[in-house]
Amino acid sequence: MAKRGARGSAADQTTGACPCGSGLPYADCCGRLHRGEADAATAEALMRSRFSAFAVGDADYLVRSWHSSTRPARLRLDPGQRWTRLEILGTDRGGIFDSEGTVEFRAHYREAGRPGTLDERSHFVREDGRWVYLDALPG
């Protein structure tokens, strides 16, 4: 997911359901994390917020939520790709008392009018007390 992006901006998603699939309004769900008003409590919550950031085009949040050792200097989101749905397939650790965890997911997108999916096992760790994305684990 690190190399693929979205259209629009975070400001475009101030109303409506959160792209992460929680059923909550974006402003009360991932929007709070994107605006810096809260930190993700779990690795899964961070994964959901990162998917939402791709969906709303919030590259700044994606960079901020990336581990300092693997964070790209710049992140360009693909304006032709629209992230549409997230499925969490499984988690391993990543809870409020853990220091690392993995989240397996399937992210659905549309590009050039065609549907696609991205399957990944993402590795998350705490850095300075906050959950951050470290890298993708092999298949």
Side-chain angles (χ1 to χ4, degrees):
M1 191 149 172
K3 295 178 183 151
R4 303 217 173 177
R7 64 174 173 73
S9 69
D12 297 337
Q13 287 287 330
T14 57
T15 61
C18 190
C20 81
S22 68
L24 297 172
Y26 168 77
D28 298 332
C29 189
C30 293
R32 295 176 54 243
L33 282 68
H34 296 171
R35 292 187 306 270
E37 297 171 4
D39 290 327
T42 65
E44 181 179 336
L46 183 66
M47 176 62 240
R48 288 179 176 279
S49 72
R50 286 178 56 82
F51 174 83
S52 291
F54 275 100
V56 302
D58 191 344
D60 290 341
Y61 178 78
L62 290 165
V63 171
R64 285 193 320 269
S65 62
W66 216 306
H67 192 273
S68 61
S69 69
T70 56
R71 176 186 308 137
R74 294 176 15 196
L75 181 65
R76 182 188 164 280
L77 299 179
D78 181 350
Q81 194 168 48
R82 188 171 68 92
W83 295 96
T84 58
R85 184 167 59 96
L86 175 67
E87 294 177 74
I88 301 296
L89 304 175
T91 61
D92 181 27
R93 297 177 308 202
I96 58 173
F97 298 114
D98 294 319
S99 59
E100 69 177 296
T102 61
V103 178
E104 184 175 0
F105 67 91
R106 178 171 296 131
H108 297 260
Y109 64 89
R110 292 194 69 80
E111 187 168 28
R114 295 187 191 110
T117 60
L118 171 70
D119 290 57
E120 183 176 301
R121 284 181 50 226
S122 291
H123 185 203
F124 297 90
V125 297
R126 290 193 189 262
E127 183 174 51
D128 298 327
R130 294 178 38 245
W131 282 109
V132 292
Y133 171 79
L134 182 62
D135 56 13
L137 298 172

